[in-house]
Amino acid sequence: MRSQRCIITRNEDIGGRINEPFVFTTPDVSFGNPLHPTLRSAQRVNIATLGRQDGQPVQRLLEQHLSVLFNALFETDFSISSTLQVNVTYVYTLASTLTEMSISLPLAVMPPLEVSTNQHNDRTLSLKTMVGTLSEAITTWARKYRPSELGAYLAFEVTIMSNLTVNPMPLLELSNLVLPVQYIVPALKS
C-alpha cells in the first residue's frame, strides 16, 4: 500500500506576484503506517426483520435467517472472497420480572476465515457452506444444553475483513445483531 503524504503551502497564490522567500512550505508529513479505516456499528439489528419490506419479524429456519443476513451484507458483488469472523452468544433471562438482568452464554467463535462471497470462486469455502456449518453448530449446542428460552435471543458479532492487505484487516464490525429465538422454527431445542 502506498504511503500518503501531505504538505501545506502558504502565500503561494495571494492574487499577485510574490517573492519566493515569502512563500512558506511545510516539510512532508505522513503516517508511519498505512491507515486502515474500520466502520463500526453497535446499532441493534433484528435479523428476523431483514429481507422484509414492512420491517416486521418473520419466522424462518435458523439457516435461512443467517442466509438472509449474509446475503444482505454481500448483496453487492465487490470481491471474490472476504475474510469473516463471527462470535455467537446465547442471551436469556432467569425470570420474566428480571428482564434487565440477562445471562450471556458464549456459544460459538468462528476465527477469521476466508469465505467465497460469489459463485465464481471454487478455491475457498462458500458462504452457503459457512452459514450451514454455523447454523449446525448453534443447533447442536442448543439441543445438547437445552437453555431457557425466556426472553432469549442469539447475539452475533460479525467482522468483515479486507483481503487487500498482507494480513486481513477489519473493514466492518457489526456488534449488535440479534435473533430472538421465538422467530426460529423449528425451535432450537427440538
Side-chain angles (χ1 to χ4, degrees), residues 91-136:
V91 182
Y92 69 96
T93 57
L94 288 175
S96 58
T97 56
L98 299 173
T99 57
E100 297 300 316
M101 296 177 63
S102 59
I103 309 294
S104 298
L105 300 173
L107 194 155
V109 175
M110 185 181 85
L113 178 68
E114 187 174 358
V115 177
S116 172
T117 56
N118 66 29
Q119 286 77 19
H120 308 296
N121 184 1
D122 295 330
R123 293 177 299 157
T124 58
L125 183 69
S126 74
L127 192 59
K128 182 178 180 179
T129 302
M130 188 273 304
V131 164
T133 303
L134 185 59
S135 175
E136 183 61 32

Side-chain angles (χ1 to χ4, degrees), residues 161-181:
M161 300 182 184
S162 169
N163 287 344
L164 299 177
T165 55
V166 174
N167 297 314
M169 299 296 291
L171 186 61
L172 175 64
E173 293 178 351
L174 303 170
S175 61
N176 202 2
L177 302 172
V178 298
L179 179 56
V181 298

Side-chain angles (χ1 to χ4, degrees), residues 62 88-90 107 138 152-156 177-179 181 184 188:
L62 176 58
V88 185
T89 305
Y90 189 88
L107 194 155
I138 294 167
Y153 61 91
L154 293 170
F156 295 85
L177 302 172
V178 298
L179 179 56
V181 298
I184 300 172
L188 279 177

Side-chain angles (χ1 to χ4, degrees), residues 39-47 49-50 69 156-157 172-178:
L39 299 172
R40 291 182 173 91
S41 177
Q43 180 177 345
R44 189 178 184 97
V45 175
N46 184 342
I47 297 169
T49 64
L50 297 177
L69 169 66
F156 295 85
E157 294 177 30
L172 175 64
E173 293 178 351
L174 303 170
S175 61
N176 202 2
L177 302 172
V178 298

